[in-house]
Structures are given as structure tokens and as C-alpha cells.
Amino acid sequence: MFEPELNEQQRLMQESARKLAEERFKPGAARADREHAPPLGNIKVLAEHGFCGMGLPEAYGGSGLGVFEMVLVIEQIARACANTAMLLSGTVGASARAILQVGSEAQKRKYLPRVARGELLVAWSMSEPNAGSDVGAIATRALRDGEHYVINGAKLWCSFASLADVYLVMMRLDPTPGMKGIGALLVERDTPGFSIGRRLDLVGLRATGMAELLFDDCRVPAENLIIPAGGIGKILAVLEADRIGGNPPICLGVAGAAFDAAVRHLKERSQFGKPLADNQGLQWKLADMAIDIEAARSLLYRTAQRVDAHKNSMTDASIAKTFVNEMAIRVTNQAIQLAGASGLAEDFPFERYFRDVRGMAIGYGTTEILRNTIAREILAGRYQP
Ligand SMILES: Cc1cc2nc3c(=O)[nH]c(=O)nc-3n(C[C@H](O)[C@H](O)[C@H](O)COP(=O)(O)OP(=O)(O)OC[C@H]3O[C@@H](n4cnc5c(N)ncnc54)[C@H](O)[C@@H]3O)c2cc1C
């Protein structure tokens, strides 16, 4: 396996995450998926080991580590339980990073230390029924009323909706159409006029509490403003960094687990009087899966290191996320094929692996929208291979 240059701290973190995930999270992974039951206890365990505050500065209770360390840890957690990895990416990911990078000092002090202790989950809410890839079509609106904003509208596909304590909600703060009128407010769970709507069960990552958010004359204090109208570009820049740290390492970890399970299956099962692994045609499938995983890992690790060194370009995260997402779909799909009917049965993990990565090519920017970004940069002469 391609071994990156890891310093002592990174190597210890990677090992400790792998051991924790294997011993504590893997045994409950299938049940969490089957029962759609978020493994919240695992977040407490991760917090006790310092993983929830990884990307936050020490001043807010974190350990000041970078995106590369997040990638190393989340990959290991995802090998055992993708739902736990997704919840961890929710604590260390886009929302906390947004508060850190664009929030007021009061907002940082109020929320971030509790995020680092695993006590507070901040959900990220952008999507709406008519605003998916087209963020400029957001219709949920907030009107200023004295020292409050009054919010009306509905949000869709919000991961962690039913579990979160605070919601970073993108909405229209100004009637100016398109992106210019959009900003963001922090909404606390018990705010009058705010409620969690229908539970939304996707094909995979079923234990992440996805639901609708509903706002009916919901009044939030003006001090909860985090992005004024017209500042949405700042939030999208945060999302750009998170494209690497949250979603792709989950895909990489799950693909690694699917590969391991496929190798075991080919060695253990015999047909025509010999192990399946003795068929060269199947061996070559394993070789192709390994090539795919290693290429994805190299690209992801290098991109994460470039993000930490502030050397990344607009295209880096888009290229890495697209490749890693599609690699994971290919590898987990191939693992199903290698396992035959067992690959589709709930008693085996193969079908869950496939389901858990399938949506990742849609969430955090679809692979088509990311290709639009890559193509735009190529044609503008800002990309050199
Ligand atoms: C696992 C998962 C977790 C998610 N978590 C969250 C969350 O926490 N918070 C949140 O706000 N949202 C979340 N989402 C929603 C996600 O952000 C949206 O699904 C995504 O932005 C795409 O929007 P859409 O589903 O409405 O698809 P659409 O935008 O309707 O797109 C449909 C298809 O058309 C393509 N398409 C659209 N426009 C173009 C174009 N201009 N050029 C080429 N192709 C185009 C898309 O790529 C896609 O293939 C999550 C989604 C998933 C799958």
C-alpha cells in the first residue's frame, strides 16, 4: 500500500482511529444502518479521544490540526462505520469550520468549545425543494424586525437535522435576486417557529438523521447573523475546503473495506472445486480495484496537504472529490459482483458499502457541477496539467 510520509503524531492518530473504529464502531455498523439509528454514542467516544476538535484551534478546545489529519482519521472511521464517519465529519466539518472562519468572536466562544467536546452538532442547511445545485434559487427568507430576523420557508436534505443543536442556514436576507441576496443565520434547535419536518431516508448513510427543516415566523436574534447578504461566497469557500476533508475520506475508507471483504470472500468461497481467488479473471478485478484505490488515495492525500499549505487551486478539490467519489462507486459495485448473490444480501456488508458511497457523488457538490468548475478553469487558462 502507498504509505504517505506521516509524522509521529499523524501516524499515532491514524493507528488510534483505526483501532477505535475496528473495536468500538464496526460491531454496531450494520445495526445502525438497518435501524436507521444514529450511533451518537460513538461521537462521545471520538470526543474523549480528541477527534471532535481536530480542526479547531486550541483556543476553542481543539487541537489545531489540518485537513490532512481529518482525512487520515475519517478514512479509518469509515472503514468500520460510514455513518459514524459522517457524524464525525459533521462535527469537524463545514459548519464548525464556517463558524471558525467567518463567525463573530461571540459565536465562536459560544459554540466551538462544545463542538470540540462532542456536545454540540451544527448542521449545514443549504438545499431547498427548488434550490439544489442552483444555490442562487434559495427562497427561504428572513426579514429584519428590530433586534430579530423573522424566517419563513423550508429546507431539504439536511444531514444531522434530527440530531443537531444548531443549524447554519443559508437564506435570502435581501430581495436582490440570485446569489447577491443570500446570507446565513445560525438557528438554535429550540427557537420558536422552527421545527424538524419529514425524516428523509436516502439509500445509504441512513443513520445520519437527515430531514427537512421548517421555518414558520421563526424569530432569531440579530446577533445570530453569520453571513450578511451578498457574503455567500465566503461560505462557499469554506465548503470548498470541506469538499476534501469530509466527503472523500468516507468514500476512500468504505472502498478499502469493500476491497478487504472482496479479497476475503474470493479466498474463502470455492466453486468448480477451487477457491474463486484462483480465477485469473477475478484476480485482475482485484488488481484494478487496488489500482483505483491507490490512485484515489494519492490524489486525496496530496490535495489535503495542498489545502493545508494554502497551495490548492480552484480545481484541486473538484478533481479529487470527483475521482474519489466515482472510484468508490466503481470499487464497491465490483465488490458486489465478486460476492455474487451474497453481495446483495443484508447478511453481508457489500450492499451497504455500495449504498453508503452512492450519494457522495451528489452531496457536497455533484460530480457534474464539479466538472463544470474544472472545465471553466481549464478554458479560462487557469489550469495546467
Ligand atoms: C448524502 C447527502 C447528504 C447531503 N447533505 C446535505 C446537507 O447536509 N445540507 C444540505 O443543504 N444539502 C445536503 N444534501 C443535498 C445536496 O447538496 C444536493 O443533493 C445537491 O446540491 C444537488 O442538488 P439536487 O439534489 O437538487 O440535484 P439537482 O441540482 O436538481 O441536479 C440534478 C442533476 O442535474 C445535474 N445538474 C444540475 N445543474 C447542472 C448544470 N448546470 N450542469 C450540469 N449538470 C447539472 C446534477 O449534477 C444532477 O446530476 C445532501 C445530499 C446527499 C446525497
Side-chain angles (χ1 to χ4, degrees), residues 259-295:
F259 175 81
D260 288 348
V263 173
R264 268 197 309 276
H265 189 85
L266 292 196
K267 284 181 170 176
E268 285 167 8
R269 180 167 168 80
S270 289
Q271 287 291 280
F272 302 102
K274 62 179 185 184
L276 289 174
D278 285 1
N279 293 289
Q280 192 185 45
L282 303 187
Q283 292 171 4
W284 281 20
K285 286 180 193 273
L286 289 181
D288 284 341
M289 289 159 82
I291 292 167
D292 226 359
I293 292 171
E294 290 308 321

Coordinates of all heavy atoms in Angstrom, one line a residue, residues 259-295:
F259 N -13.0 -3.6 -0.5 CA -11.9 -4.4 -1.2 C -11.5 -5.5 -0.2 O -11.4 -6.6 -0.7 CB -10.7 -3.4 -1.4 CG -9.5 -4.1 -1.9 CD1 -9.4 -4.4 -3.3 CD2 -8.5 -4.4 -1.1 CE1 -8.3 -5.0 -3.8 CE2 -7.3 -5.0 -1.6 CZ -7.3 -5.3 -3.0
D260 N -11.3 -5.2 1.1 CA -10.8 -6.2 2.0 C -11.9 -7.4 2.1 O -11.5 -8.6 2.1 CB -10.7 -5.7 3.4 CG -9.5 -4.8 3.5 OD1 -8.7 -4.8 2.6 OD2 -9.4 -4.0 4.6
A261 N -13.1 -7.0 2.1 CA -14.2 -8.0 2.2 C -14.2 -8.9 0.9 O -14.4 -10.1 1.0 CB -15.6 -7.3 2.4
A262 N -14.0 -8.2 -0.2 CA -14.0 -9.0 -1.5 C -12.8 -10.0 -1.6 O -13.0 -11.1 -2.0 CB -13.9 -8.0 -2.7
V263 N -11.6 -9.5 -1.1 CA -10.5 -10.4 -1.1 C -10.8 -11.6 -0.2 O -10.5 -12.8 -0.6 CB -9.2 -9.7 -0.6 CG1 -8.0 -10.7 -0.4 CG2 -8.8 -8.6 -1.6
R264 N -11.3 -11.4 1.0 CA -11.6 -12.5 1.9 C -12.6 -13.4 1.3 O -12.4 -14.7 1.3 CB -12.3 -11.9 3.2 CG -11.3 -11.6 4.3 CD -12.0 -11.4 5.7 NE -13.1 -10.5 5.6 CZ -13.0 -9.2 5.7 NH1 -11.8 -8.7 5.9 NH2 -14.0 -8.4 5.7
H265 N -13.6 -12.9 0.6 CA -14.7 -13.7 0.0 C -14.1 -14.6 -1.1 O -14.4 -15.8 -1.1 CB -15.8 -12.8 -0.6 CG -17.0 -13.6 -1.0 ND1 -18.0 -14.0 -0.1 CD2 -17.3 -14.1 -2.2 CE1 -18.9 -14.7 -0.8 NE2 -18.5 -14.8 -2.1
L266 N -13.2 -14.0 -1.9 CA -12.7 -14.8 -3.0 C -11.7 -15.9 -2.5 O -11.6 -17.0 -3.1 CB -11.9 -13.9 -4.0 CG -12.6 -12.9 -4.8 CD1 -11.8 -12.4 -5.9 CD2 -13.9 -13.5 -5.4
K267 N -11.1 -15.7 -1.4 CA -10.2 -16.7 -0.8 C -11.1 -17.8 -0.1 O -10.7 -19.0 -0.1 CB -9.3 -16.1 0.2 CG -8.1 -15.3 -0.5 CD -7.2 -14.8 0.6 CE -6.0 -14.3 0.0 NZ -5.1 -13.7 1.1
E268 N -12.2 -17.4 0.5 CA -12.9 -18.4 1.3 C -13.9 -19.2 0.5 O -14.2 -20.4 0.9 CB -13.7 -17.6 2.4 CG -12.8 -17.2 3.6 CD -13.4 -16.2 4.5 OE1 -14.6 -15.9 4.4 OE2 -12.7 -15.6 5.3
R269 N -14.5 -18.7 -0.5 CA -15.5 -19.4 -1.3 C -14.9 -20.2 -2.5 O -14.1 -19.6 -3.2 CB -16.6 -18.4 -1.8 CG -17.7 -19.1 -2.5 CD -18.9 -18.2 -2.7 NE -19.9 -18.8 -3.7 CZ -20.8 -19.7 -3.4 NH1 -20.8 -20.2 -2.1 NH2 -21.6 -20.1 -4.3
S270 N -15.3 -21.4 -2.6 CA -14.9 -22.2 -3.7 C -16.1 -22.5 -4.6 O -17.2 -22.8 -4.2 CB -14.3 -23.6 -3.2 OG -13.1 -23.4 -2.5
Q271 N -15.8 -22.6 -5.9 CA -16.7 -23.0 -6.9 C -15.9 -23.8 -8.0 O -14.7 -23.5 -8.2 CB -17.4 -21.9 -7.6 CG -18.5 -21.2 -6.8 CD -19.7 -22.0 -6.5 OE1 -20.6 -22.2 -7.3 NE2 -19.7 -22.6 -5.3
F272 N -16.5 -24.8 -8.6 CA -15.8 -25.7 -9.5 C -14.5 -26.3 -8.9 O -13.5 -26.4 -9.5 CB -15.4 -24.9 -10.8 CG -16.6 -24.3 -11.5 CD1 -16.9 -23.0 -11.4 CD2 -17.4 -25.2 -12.2 CE1 -18.0 -22.5 -12.0 CE2 -18.6 -24.6 -12.9 CZ -18.8 -23.3 -12.7
G273 N -14.6 -26.6 -7.5 CA -13.5 -27.3 -6.9 C -12.3 -26.5 -6.5 O -11.3 -27.1 -6.2
K274 N -12.4 -25.2 -6.6 CA -11.2 -24.4 -6.3 C -11.7 -23.0 -5.8 O -12.8 -22.6 -6.1 CB -10.3 -24.2 -7.5 CG -10.9 -23.5 -8.6 CD -10.0 -23.3 -9.8 CE -10.6 -22.5 -10.9 NZ -9.9 -22.3 -12.1
P275 N -10.8 -22.3 -5.0 CA -11.3 -21.0 -4.5 C -11.5 -20.1 -5.6 O -10.8 -20.1 -6.7 CB -10.0 -20.6 -3.7 CG -9.3 -21.8 -3.3 CD -9.5 -22.7 -4.5
L276 N -12.5 -19.2 -5.5 CA -12.8 -18.2 -6.5 C -11.5 -17.4 -6.8 O -11.3 -17.0 -8.0 CB -13.9 -17.2 -6.0 CG -15.3 -17.8 -5.9 CD1 -16.2 -16.8 -5.3 CD2 -15.8 -18.2 -7.3
A277 N -10.7 -17.2 -5.8 CA -9.5 -16.4 -6.0 C -8.5 -17.0 -7.0 O -7.6 -16.3 -7.4 CB -8.8 -16.2 -4.6
D278 N -8.7 -18.3 -7.3 CA -7.7 -18.9 -8.3 C -8.0 -18.5 -9.7 O -7.3 -18.9 -10.6 CB -7.8 -20.4 -8.1 CG -7.0 -20.9 -6.9 OD1 -6.5 -20.0 -6.2 OD2 -7.0 -22.1 -6.6
N279 N -9.2 -17.9 -10.0 CA -9.5 -17.5 -11.3 C -8.8 -16.2 -11.7 O -9.0 -15.1 -11.1 CB -11.0 -17.3 -11.5 CG -11.8 -18.6 -11.3 OD1 -11.8 -19.4 -12.2 ND2 -12.5 -18.7 -10.1
Q280 N -8.0 -16.2 -12.8 CA -7.2 -15.0 -13.1 C -8.1 -13.8 -13.4 O -7.8 -12.7 -13.1 CB -6.3 -15.3 -14.3 CG -5.3 -14.2 -14.5 CD -4.5 -14.3 -15.7 OE1 -5.0 -14.7 -16.8 NE2 -3.2 -14.1 -15.6
G281 N -9.3 -14.1 -14.1 CA -10.2 -13.0 -14.4 C -10.7 -12.3 -13.2 O -10.8 -11.0 -13.2
L282 N -10.8 -13.0 -12.1 CA -11.3 -12.3 -10.8 C -10.1 -11.7 -10.1 O -10.2 -10.6 -9.5 CB -11.9 -13.3 -9.9 CG -13.1 -14.1 -10.4 CD1 -13.8 -14.9 -9.3 CD2 -14.2 -13.1 -11.0
Q283 N -8.9 -12.3 -10.3 CA -7.7 -11.6 -9.7 C -7.5 -10.3 -10.4 O -7.1 -9.3 -9.7 CB -6.4 -12.5 -10.0 CG -6.4 -13.8 -9.2 CD -5.3 -14.8 -9.7 OE1 -4.5 -14.4 -10.5 NE2 -5.3 -16.0 -9.1
W284 N -7.7 -10.2 -11.7 CA -7.5 -8.9 -12.3 C -8.5 -7.9 -11.9 O -8.2 -6.7 -11.8 CB -7.6 -9.1 -13.9 CG -6.3 -9.7 -14.5 CD1 -5.4 -10.4 -13.8 CD2 -5.9 -9.7 -15.8 NE1 -4.4 -10.8 -14.6 CE2 -4.7 -10.3 -15.9 CE3 -6.5 -9.1 -17.0 CZ2 -4.0 -10.5 -17.1 CZ3 -5.8 -9.2 -18.2 CH2 -4.5 -9.9 -18.2
K285 N -9.7 -8.3 -11.5 CA -10.6 -7.4 -11.0 C -10.1 -6.8 -9.7 O -10.2 -5.6 -9.4 CB -12.0 -8.0 -10.7 CG -12.8 -8.3 -12.0 CD -14.1 -8.9 -11.7 CE -14.8 -9.5 -12.9 NZ -15.7 -8.6 -13.6
L286 N -9.5 -7.7 -8.8 CA -8.9 -7.2 -7.6 C -7.8 -6.2 -7.9 O -7.7 -5.2 -7.2 CB -8.4 -8.3 -6.7 CG -9.4 -9.3 -6.1 CD1 -8.7 -10.3 -5.3 CD2 -10.4 -8.5 -5.2
A287 N -7.0 -6.5 -8.9 CA -5.8 -5.7 -9.2 C -6.4 -4.3 -9.6 O -5.8 -3.2 -9.2 CB -5.0 -6.3 -10.3
D288 N -7.4 -4.3 -10.4 CA -8.0 -3.0 -10.9 C -8.5 -2.2 -9.7 O -8.4 -1.0 -9.7 CB -9.1 -3.2 -11.9 CG -8.5 -3.6 -13.3 OD1 -7.3 -3.4 -13.5 OD2 -9.3 -4.2 -14.1
M289 N -9.2 -2.9 -8.8 CA -9.7 -2.2 -7.6 C -8.6 -1.6 -6.8 O -8.7 -0.4 -6.4 CB -10.5 -3.2 -6.7 CG -11.8 -3.6 -7.3 SD -12.4 -5.2 -6.6 CE -13.2 -4.6 -5.1
A290 N -7.5 -2.3 -6.7 CA -6.3 -1.8 -5.9 C -5.7 -0.6 -6.6 O -5.4 0.4 -5.9 CB -5.3 -2.9 -5.7
I291 N -5.6 -0.7 -7.9 CA -5.1 0.5 -8.7 C -5.9 1.7 -8.5 O -5.5 2.8 -8.2 CB -5.0 0.1 -10.2 CG1 -4.0 -0.9 -10.4 CG2 -4.7 1.4 -11.0 CD1 -4.0 -1.6 -11.8
D292 N -7.3 1.5 -8.5 CA -8.2 2.6 -8.4 C -8.1 3.2 -7.0 O -8.1 4.5 -6.8 CB -9.6 2.0 -8.5 CG -10.5 2.9 -9.5 OD1 -10.0 3.9 -9.9 OD2 -11.7 2.5 -9.7
I293 N -8.0 2.4 -5.9 CA -8.0 2.9 -4.6 C -6.7 3.7 -4.3 O -6.7 4.7 -3.8 CB -8.1 1.7 -3.5 CG1 -9.5 1.1 -3.6 CG2 -7.8 2.2 -2.1 CD1 -9.7 -0.2 -2.8
E294 N -5.6 3.1 -4.8 CA -4.3 3.8 -4.6 C -4.2 5.1 -5.3 O -3.7 6.1 -4.8 CB -3.1 2.9 -5.0 CG -2.9 1.7 -4.1 CD -2.8 2.0 -2.6 OE1 -2.2 3.0 -2.3 OE2 -3.4 1.3 -1.8
A295 N -4.7 5.1 -6.5 CA -4.7 6.4 -7.3 C -5.6 7.5 -6.5 O -5.2 8.6 -6.3 CB -5.3 6.2 -8.7

